[in-house]
Amino acid sequence: MTLLTAAVRDFALSLPADHLPAYVYDLDALREHAAFVRSVLPERVELYYAAKANPEAEILTALAPYTDGFEVSSGGELAHVATSVPGHALAFGGPGKTPEEIESALLLGVERFHVESAYELRMLANLAERLVPRVRIGVLLRFNLPVPADYLESSALAMGGRPAPFGIDPSQADGLVRQLTDGSFPQLELLGVHAHLASGLTARQQLAVAESVVVRASELAARHRIALREVNVGGGMTVDYADPDARFDWSAFGSGLARIADDHPALLLRIEPGRALTAYCGWYATDVLDVKHSHGEDFAVVRGGTHHLRTPATKGHDQPCAVLPLDTWPHPWPRAAVGGDPVTFVGQLCTPKDVLARGVPAAGLRSGDRVVFALAGAYAWNISHHDFLMHPRPGFHFLGTAVVPPRAPGAAESSAGARG
Ligand SMILES: *Cc1c(COP(=O)(O)O)cnc(C)c1O
């Protein structure tokens, strides 16, 4: 099992204890993964990254060369992504957009809006008319389309296919398309349809959903005798936390998307994964503070906890981890040690919910040993309740070769030369 890259393992062992816990990202591994994903997608499928999975600027920068754009779902993400990776295409989605958020998106020149409701469409049209009256605004209508019932059960999170605050009910589709094509909103250009219906789907399930979204979009276009240019079939590619070596079958997904694209030659398909792009490039490294035997079970208390890495608590899984024994022990008192295994790894919070992983084989585990939790590159730090109990924040480290922007031929060594 390859839970750690060599770079992350060496780094986790080299960090002094008072620099723990730490988030460690392997940007080379991220780039390699993103390059692979891009390489198996057909040319006519665009890849956007859903920034909410992990919006660290270094992550966005590493992903940028392999993506066609970024999906942002708040004014905060919008401003952050626009400054972190300037010049990249942005799609602004998400429910409950405020007038202020839409204003800043319009002024930033955001290429496309994923419109979530009839009200939002009116607001967007009105704000565009007042703020950027000569600019065409690209609109994708986000629909809450049906999803096969068995997918809803198996998928970890369902955003659509049932009553939900996300997207537009299909019963309103024809009315909104009419408004977008009869001159009611002259500035808004209906580019197509967006759907992000479920998260945690396998490639086969994703393809079935993508196909049905594309078919629905084509039927809608045919009914209104219009051409729809884009269909965004969303994200939600599965990450299997119980089997960290498993990967979403990007190759099969790419081939399936190629078939769908061939059936709809005028259509640009787009996907916007988050988790399955970045989950594998992040680790939460820490050390064992104490070990104890309680009512027949062994527990290890590690520095930090679910206030830094909330993923196992929210998803109810055991975060995959690797124990790295450390032979050096700096203190004059003896180390705490567990007799047997398995061990339950918990954090420092005074709540029974602060469990990172159960059933970890860790015979002979001692205080001071390092533990590195894998698959912590998405929905980890940024979804956690950092201030609960006022423990210090983790460090953040980005390993991998820095990507130096290509220099123009003949340019001076630094920008100072250009200025002089
Ligand atoms: C969260 C989200 C995504 C990404 O989902 P993942 O499960 O991380 O792939 C994509 N699109 C929308 C609209 C989202 O809300």
Side-chain angles (χ1 to χ4, degrees):
M1 194 149 72
T2 49
L3 271 176
L4 299 182
T5 64
V8 170
R9 183 196 156 84
D10 293 348
F11 189 80
L13 283 169
S14 74
L15 275 177
D18 62 355
H19 284 51
L20 297 170
Y23 268 96
V24 185
Y25 299 99
D26 188 331
L27 297 181
D28 286 339
L30 174 61
R31 279 188 282 262
E32 197 180 310
H33 179 54
F36 165 71
V37 169
R38 182 60 263 183
S39 74
V40 296
L41 292 174
E43 216 172 293
R44 205 150 45 76
V45 172
E46 284 195 348
L47 172 64
Y48 276 31
Y49 172 59
K52 79 169 189 285
N54 185 334
E56 298 287 349
E58 290 84 350
I59 300 276
L60 300 176
T61 305
L63 283 174
Y66 310 102
T67 52
D68 300 283
F70 294 89
E71 190 266 350
V72 296
S73 286
S74 75
E77 284 188 354
L78 176 65
H80 170 73
V81 174
T83 44
S84 301
V85 276
H88 288 271
L90 298 178
F92 185 19
K97 298 180 190 71
T98 67
E100 296 75 19
E101 288 176 321
I102 292 180
E103 271 182 43
S104 42
L106 289 169
L107 294 175
L108 267 171
V110 164
E111 282 80 4
R112 32 183 71 71
F113 289 77
H114 296 163
V115 171
E116 290 263 348
S117 73
Y119 167 75
E120 192 180 295
L121 192 67
R122 284 199 300 279
M123 172 162 60
L124 175 63
N126 188 287
L127 288 168
E129 195 184 333
R130 286 192 286 124
L131 291 170
V132 286
R134 261 169 281 284
V135 179
R136 301 279 287 166
I137 309 297
V139 165
L140 281 83
L141 294 174
R142 177 179 182 179
F143 289 120
N144 177 352
L145 295 171
V147 183
D150 54 325
Y151 293 9
L152 289 181
E153 278 154 36
S154 67
S155 98
L157 283 173
M159 272 65 66
R162 61 181 187 190
F166 308 108
I168 297 162
D169 192 82
S171 65
Q172 295 182 298
D174 289 302
L176 291 184
V177 170
R178 220 169 290 126
Q179 284 188 311
L180 280 161
T181 48
D182 70 1
S184 306
F185 303 128
Q187 257 182 284
L188 304 189
E189 181 177 6
L190 178 60
L191 295 177
V193 164
H194 173 259
H196 172 68
L197 298 171
S199 166
L201 299 184
T202 64
R204 192 184 51 79
Q205 294 173 324
Q206 280 281 2
L207 284 171
V209 170
E211 173 104 58
S212 84
V213 171
V214 168
V215 166
R216 291 280 188 138
S218 307
E219 289 168 359
L220 184 68
R223 277 204 300 282
H224 293 266
R225 294 175 210 285
I226 55 166
L228 285 183
R229 275 188 276 138
E230 302 182 3
V231 175
N232 183 330
V233 295
M237 295 72 186
T238 192
V239 167
D240 189 346
Y241 291 88
D243 183 1
D245 287 329
R247 291 289 181 277
F248 180 81
D249 191 345
W250 287 103
S251 301
F253 187 54
S255 315
L257 287 179
R259 281 193 299 276
I260 299 176
D262 285 346
D263 290 344
H264 302 270
L267 212 53
L268 177 74
L269 293 179
R270 186 177 297 123
I271 59 171
E272 51 180 22
R275 189 187 305 270
L277 280 184
T278 52
Y280 304 101
C281 79
W283 289 263
Y284 179 65
T286 186
D287 64 344
V288 176
L289 296 174
D290 199 355
V291 294
K292 57 181 78 173
H293 193 72
S294 171
H295 292 269
E297 275 185 46
D298 283 324
F299 288 85
V301 184
V302 302
R303 203 187 299 257
T306 55
H307 54 306
H308 295 163
L309 176 60
R310 199 164 170 226
T311 327
T314 49
K315 287 184 69 74
H317 64 227
D318 297 310
Q319 196 71 24
C321 64
V323 175
L324 306 178
L326 201 66
D327 287 331
T328 53
W329 175 247
H331 303 297
W333 56 85
R335 299 171 84 163
V338 281
D341 58 9
V343 172
T344 296
F345 283 90
V346 300
Q348 293 173 281
L349 303 183
C350 311
T351 157
K353 294 190 174 174
D354 191 20
V355 178
L356 292 159
R358 296 175 190 78
V360 182
L365 185 74
R366 302 154 300 177
S367 51
D369 285 338
R370 299 284 153 95
V371 189
V372 184
F373 293 90
L375 274 62
Y379 304 104
W381 166 252
N382 67 322
I383 63 156
S384 304
H385 44 316
H386 311 143
D387 291 330
F388 187 40
L389 263 99
M390 299 179 74
H391 286 293
R393 296 197 165 200
F396 287 85
H397 307 275
F398 297 88
L399 312 183
T401 44
V403 176
V404 182
R407 203 183 298 155
E413 198 175 341
S414 74
S415 58
R419 258 185 267 128

